[in-house]
Amino acid sequence: MALSNLLHVPAQPSELWAVPIGFNVLVGVAAPLLWTGQNTYVSRCANCAALADAGQSADESTLLHSRTLMTTRYNSLFFSIYQFSGMFGNVAASSILLILGADDAAKSVLFVTLTCVSTLGALCFLLMPTVSGSSELGEQPSVLDTARLAFTDAKVGLLIPLMLTNGMTLAFFLGDFQADVTCPAAGPQFTGFIVATFYGVNSLASLFWGRLISSGRLSRRTAFVLCSALIATYLLIKLLWQVPQSYVRAAGSDDWQQMHPPRAGGVAIVFSLAAVFALGDAFWEAGPAMTLQMFYSKEAVVPAMANYKLWQSLGFAIQFWIAIPLKEYPRARAGLLLGLVGISLTCVLLLAKFVRSIDEEAEG
């Protein structure tokens, strides 16, 4: 992933068109490996903590309760740190561009900084202690195991709509929302800070939901319901709000032209919508991971975590493709996601009601 920041390529079409595509492929190959490895590592740490908390002689019920508690705590902490890094990265990048300008020299400084951070992050993996898994079969999971889990196990299958929609809503916020709402209402210069606000609120919300659930004040099922309602509220407001056109972009142009100064109320609404979405997205990202880790605490944890990233990434790709034919129909894009949020929540409730409890039951 660090390699994608090393070579400077033009943003406009040129004879080097294959280079950014190749680097995107490299990032696409590296990201799922990192995510699957990270989530598996978090799961193993949570299992070790659960054994230490419950004791070696604990009965199955006590161990299940402890495992539920620890997967919640460890995942909420992991996702909080991850979201905080997103906030820090956006603030740092926006600050560099504001201070040095948006010319090629400033972008070179930005990409060199990103390269150093990516390399440092990769090197930190070498310092992490080894945490053994609890595989009973002693076999390495395969691609077939990942596919089999998705299409033959209802515990994964009923979470697929939510994981897929989660990727779509994230892509919608990072792409469509910025073009449809942030840039027209507040200006393109606010984009980095809007995204940073999302990551910052998401980071705090990840800890907030984790604390409520681990303390017993809230169940995971209730958290899924509340967070789905928050995301639906964000989409509904976006669907109905007549966005003020303080900035406009001519057809075929990438430049935004200011028509009149942004209004403070409009800018505040943009920041508020980012915060509302972040509150809901926090558990939509952490919730499936901790639930799958609870279901598959033994040999199937790697395929389960691979499924988590597979469907979320597919949702990202689908949403970016949808944005092309529906570019002129922002309400259609938001309405589609609103329907998918309802379907996702329905599937989670069916899972909790008829297949397996998502709060204190794990695969034996």
Side-chain angles (χ1 to χ4, degrees):
M1 296 176 74
L3 289 175
S4 64
N5 297 311
L6 288 176
L7 182 62
H8 175 74
V9 294
Q12 301 301 322
S14 74
E15 62 275 8
L16 294 177
W17 63 269
V19 176
I21 293 177
F23 280 159
N24 281 327
V25 171
L26 287 177
V27 173
V29 171
L33 295 175
L34 286 174
W35 270 102
T36 302
Q38 288 170 168
N39 286 328
T40 302
Y41 188 85
V42 170
S43 176
R44 291 178 176 181
C45 290
N47 282 330
C48 288
L51 285 171
D53 179 65
Q56 294 291 337
S57 59
D59 57 28
E60 187 66 17
S61 176
T62 302
L63 185 58
L64 293 181
H65 174 78
S66 183
R67 185 178 296 134
T68 302
L69 180 67
M70 292 305 170
T71 54
T72 300
R73 288 180 178 176
Y74 275 68
N75 278 278
S76 62
L77 178 60
F78 168 75
F79 277 93
S80 177
I81 296 171
Y82 163 70
Q83 303 292 356
F84 176 80
S85 70
M87 181 194 72
F88 179 80
N90 274 276
V91 170
S94 298
S95 299
I96 289 173
L97 294 178
L98 283 175
I99 294 172
L100 301 180
D103 56 11
D104 289 342
K107 292 178 181 178
S108 296
V109 172
L110 174 60
F111 283 112
V112 168
T113 302
L114 291 174
T115 300
C116 293
V117 172
S118 298
T119 303
L120 179 62
L123 292 175
C124 285
F125 275 101
L126 301 177
L127 304 177
M128 296 174 65
T130 300
V131 180
S132 60
S134 55
S135 174
E136 295 179 340
L137 300 180
E139 299 176 355
Q140 295 299 321
S142 66
V143 175
L144 183 60
D145 292 326
T146 301
R148 185 184 298 115
L149 207 61
F151 296 108
T152 65
D153 194 326
K155 297 191 296 298
V156 173
L158 287 171
L159 281 175
I160 286 176
L162 188 141
M163 295 185 289
L164 185 75
T165 306
N166 177 231
M168 294 179 70
T169 54
L170 281 168
F172 179 83
F173 174 78
L174 296 173
D176 300 41
F177 183 82
Q178 306 310 317
D180 296 343
V181 177
T182 300
C183 291
Q189 68 274 15
F190 275 90
T191 300
F193 296 104
I194 294 293
V195 176
T197 298
F198 163 76
Y199 281 121
V201 174
N202 204 316
S203 176
L204 295 176
S206 295
L207 289 177
F208 173 74
W209 294 119
R211 181 63 62 87
L212 286 179
I213 294 170
S214 61
S215 66
R217 299 172 187 171
L218 199 70
S219 68
R220 289 180 181 175
R221 182 173 61 179
T222 303
F224 274 122
V225 172
L226 292 176
C227 290
S228 298
L230 286 167
I231 295 174
T233 299
Y234 148 77
L235 290 170
L236 188 61
I237 294 174
K238 196 272 180 189
L239 185 68
L240 300 176
W241 186 35
Q242 290 293 118
V243 180
Q245 300 297 304
S246 301
Y247 290 79
V248 297
R249 181 172 58 180
S253 174
D254 293 329
D255 297 324
W256 291 86
Q257 301 296 324
Q258 185 178 30
M259 305 303 293
H260 55 79
R263 297 175 181 174
V267 175
I269 291 175
V270 178
F271 275 98
S272 298
L273 285 175
V276 170
F277 175 57
L279 286 170
D281 178 77
F283 193 72
W284 263 46
E285 289 198 58
M290 66 178 67
T291 302
L292 289 171
Q293 289 170 16
M294 183 186 69
F295 287 161
Y296 306 100
S297 60
K298 297 178 182 178
E299 73 281 353
V301 65
V302 176
M305 293 300 96
N307 267 288
Y308 168 76
K309 195 57 186 174
L310 184 158
W311 296 106
Q312 186 192 60
S313 298
L314 182 60
F316 256 96
I318 290 174
Q319 182 59 36
F320 282 124
W321 278 107
I322 287 176
I324 298 174
L326 297 180
K327 181 179 180 181
E328 304 302 325
Y329 305 97
R331 284 186 169 83
R333 286 182 268 121
L336 174 63
L337 289 177
L338 196 57
L340 288 174
V341 169
I343 293 172
S344 300
L345 178 59
T346 300
C347 290
V348 170
L349 295 178
L350 289 173
L351 168 64
K353 179 71 174 178
F354 297 108
V355 180
R356 184 65 64 89
S357 169
I358 61 176
D359 284 293
E360 281 203 22
E361 185 131 358
E363 176 146 326

